[in-house]
Amino acid sequence: MRRVVRQSKFRHVFGQAVKNDQCYDDIRVSRVTWDSSFCAVNPKFVAIIIEASGGGAFLVLPLHKSGRIDKSYPTVCGHTGPVLDIDWCPHNDQVIASGSEDCTVMVWQIPENGLVSSMSEPVVVLEGHSKRVGIITWHPTARNVLLSAGCDNQIIIWNVGTGEAMISLEDMHPDVIYNVSWNRNGSLICTSCKDKAIRVIDPRKETIVAEKEKAHEGARPMRAIFLSDGNILTTGFSRMSERQLALWNTQNMEEPMTVNEMDTSNGVLLPFYDPDTNVVYLCGKGDSSIRYFEITDEAPYVHFLNTFVTKEPQRGMGYMPKRGLDVNKCEIARFYKLHERKCEPIVMTVPRKSDLFQDDLYPDTAGPDPALEAEEWFEGKNGDPILISLKNGYVPGKNREFKVVKKNILDSKVNKNAENSSPANKSASSTPSIKSEAKMEEILKEIKSLKDLISSQEKRIIKLEEQMSKVAI
């Protein structure tokens, strides 16, 4: 007999919003009209783009700091225009990049325990775009390689360690770029553009490898992401304004492998893909639901699993990397849904009776160690992600990580200049040391403000104790 129901371990995945006390409340989420996710998450922090007068800012909260967020909570506020996109570095949980309407990209290093005072000095400012920068995405396997795309229809790939623009792709897109996605090992990128075309680009050769015009007929924005097998998944709109999900083989882009029509809502569908389980989650901006699908090798390739529905529409969405999940609870995805005034975590779980580690749900996943240095990648080398097991839960190497960051982001400039130093550019090599001195001063200031805070609290405690003793008498 033919099986009627397809067998899949993800058929019964269910979503659940956390309790109110685990939400982040009283956050003024940005109202800027841009179709990015407004939220970025890693195993240590959640970052949220917020409304800010006179410039652009985003909040960085340690994951455990749930509850009501005070209006005076420190922000990252160095941009002079609204922040449009943020992305955590996959190889360092304290480094985050931001792109803004002020045409710059900034890279920030967040203190290990979160912000104590507002941060307005980035580690690196990357200037090269002539219009606002709406897309930021780090290279998945090479250290310190960052891609940015702006409304000048240009893609720039930076070496953050030296602050240089290494690759500039200028004449490939005739119109606004909607999104850019790296493939699994970071050798190719795929882009979706306002001219309705999907392009696969080799950024180091600066050539278009494959292209499909009118991937979706509708006029509203599209999204395109690489899957782990090299195929491309796109979301867009049909001519009748129905939302679509399509799958493409990069070797033959003439016809899609499959197209799924969904509904006629007008929010852009943001796809979040888990390469370990091959499940893709679609979150529509302005929707109040998350749809999820499993992608397999056999036709019809894309299998609808379920929809998680809530009452409130979502303004944006953050997606936790696999190493930040709770493997003991069979959690296969965690989203951070932005409402108008709060951020609400949503947990996706596979129901299992056993408390043991479920190795079929958690194959080895991409870890925090880069496979390549930036220079190696720009020279033409490729490296697959270095995988880690989640069997005992992910344990970040705290101190080691912090030292590595210091070396990478701040000292690499010094090393670079020292190597090239000739009498002519000796003076240039002194600027990074000035930068690290400034960073040192900032840390000392932070320590001083903490000491002041402690001493004032001590005085307060003594005062209260005296008052208590009088009451007791």
Side-chain angles (χ1 to χ4, degrees), residues 243-270:
R243 292 201 288 194
Q244 295 177 319
L245 170 67
L247 194 62
W248 306 83
N249 182 342
T250 48
Q251 307 305 315
N252 176 17
M253 300 276 278
E254 282 304 304
E255 286 297 317
M257 293 161 69
T258 180
V259 178
N260 278 31
E261 307 251 319
M262 278 173 285
D263 57 12
T264 51
S265 181
N266 61 0
V268 178
L269 284 169
L270 306 178

Side-chain angles (χ1 to χ4, degrees), residues 196 214-218 222 234-238 244-246 248 259:
K196 301 183 187 176
K214 293 206 171 169
H216 294 274
E217 297 275 340
M222 301 190 297
T234 62
T235 65
F237 293 79
S238 70
Q244 295 177 319
L245 170 67
W248 306 83
V259 178

Side-chain angles (χ1 to χ4, degrees), residues 417 424-432:
N417 289 343
N425 63 11
K426 270 269 162 52
S427 60
S429 66
S430 64
T431 49

Side-chain angles (χ1 to χ4, degrees), residues 157-439:
I157 300 176
W158 309 84
N159 181 345
V160 177
T162 61
E164 294 171 287
M166 305 296 283
I167 295 169
S168 182
L169 309 174
E170 283 179 28
D171 304 320
M172 294 186 177
H173 299 87
D175 215 325
V176 175
I177 301 163
Y178 286 141
N179 89 304
V180 182
S181 165
W182 294 96
N183 68 350
R184 181 93 165 131
N185 68 358
S187 58
L188 298 171
I189 56 174
C190 74
T191 67
S192 61
C193 177
K194 197 173 180 179
D195 68 351
K196 301 183 187 176
I198 301 291
R199 295 173 177 83
V200 179
I201 299 168
D202 184 327
R204 289 168 297 188
K205 290 181 181 164
E206 301 189 16
T207 54
I208 295 174
V209 180
E211 185 172 359
K212 171 63 183 169
E213 291 176 8
K214 293 206 171 169
H216 294 274
E217 297 275 340
R220 290 193 51 70
M222 301 190 297
R223 286 284 181 275
I225 56 168
F226 262 114
L227 305 182
S228 55
D229 58 4
N231 289 338
I232 290 175
L233 182 113
T234 62
T235 65
F237 293 79
S238 70
R239 195 179 283 137
M240 306 299 291
S241 289
E242 282 185 304
R243 292 201 288 194
Q244 295 177 319
L245 170 67
L247 194 62
W248 306 83
N249 182 342
T250 48
Q251 307 305 315
N252 176 17
M253 300 276 278
E254 282 304 304
E255 286 297 317
M257 293 161 69
T258 180
V259 178
N260 278 31
E261 307 251 319
M262 278 173 285
D263 57 12
T264 51
S265 181
N266 61 0
V268 178
L269 284 169
L270 306 178
F272 295 95
Y273 171 64
D274 177 3
D276 304 332
T277 56
N278 260 327
V279 176
V280 68
Y281 303 85
L282 301 185
C283 308
K285 264 207 145 175
D287 285 14
S288 50
S289 62
I290 300 173
R291 288 182 178 81
Y292 38 106
F293 299 79
E294 188 178 358
I295 294 159
T296 60
D297 301 335
E298 60 209 46
Y301 306 112
V302 176
H303 307 274
F304 174 72
L305 290 171
N306 210 336
T307 306
F308 168 74
V309 183
T310 55
K311 290 175 187 161
E312 297 285 321
Q314 55 230 15
R315 297 280 298 276
M317 195 68 83
Y319 180 60
M320 175 67 82
K322 212 53 180 290
R323 57 197 172 90
L325 303 180
D326 187 344
V327 295
N328 302 322
K329 292 181 181 165
C330 295
E331 190 180 335
I332 60 159
R334 193 186 315 152
F335 291 94
Y336 285 73
K337 173 181 168 180
L338 299 186
H339 298 243
E340 209 164 312
R341 301 283 302 186
K342 75 168 178 179
C343 171
E344 174 186 46
I346 292 165
V347 175
M348 297 285 179
T349 311
V350 177
R352 291 278 166 102
K353 286 179 179 165
S354 167
D355 289 339
L356 300 173
F357 177 72
Q358 308 289 319
D359 49 8
D360 61 329
L361 299 182
Y362 300 105
D364 288 357
T365 190
D369 293 327
L372 300 167
E373 293 297 326
E375 290 72 19
E376 293 177 300
W377 185 79
F378 287 114
E379 282 162 12
K381 284 187 187 170
N382 290 325
D384 287 329
I386 295 174
L387 304 180
I388 57 168
S389 167
L390 295 175
K391 185 153 189 174
N392 302 313
Y394 167 67
V395 182
K398 284 180 191 162
N399 300 341
R400 179 186 62 81
E401 192 108 352
F402 190 59
K403 283 178 190 163
V404 172
V405 177
K406 283 286 196 201
K407 180 174 169 295
N408 287 345
I409 301 274
L410 303 175
D411 301 351
S412 58
K413 285 194 172 182
V414 184
N415 299 344
K416 194 84 178 167
N417 289 343
E419 282 167 28
N420 306 339
S421 65
S422 63
N425 63 11
K426 270 269 162 52
S427 60
S429 66
S430 64
T431 49
S433 61
I434 294 166
K435 206 156 201 178
S436 39
E437 275 172 31
K439 195 75 186 162

Side-chain angles (χ1 to χ4, degrees), residues 111-155:
E112 187 157 359
N113 298 316
L115 296 175
V116 181
S117 56
S118 284
M119 187 181 270
S120 56
E121 284 298 315
V123 179
V124 186
V125 181
L126 306 172
E127 294 174 313
H129 287 283
S130 57
K131 289 190 179 174
R132 60 186 184 165
V133 184
I135 297 164
I136 295 286
T137 174
W138 291 90
H139 191 285
T141 60
R143 190 201 306 268
N144 288 350
V145 176
L146 179 66
L147 178 148
S148 64
C151 289
D152 50 5
N153 311 339
Q154 183 180 358
I155 293 174

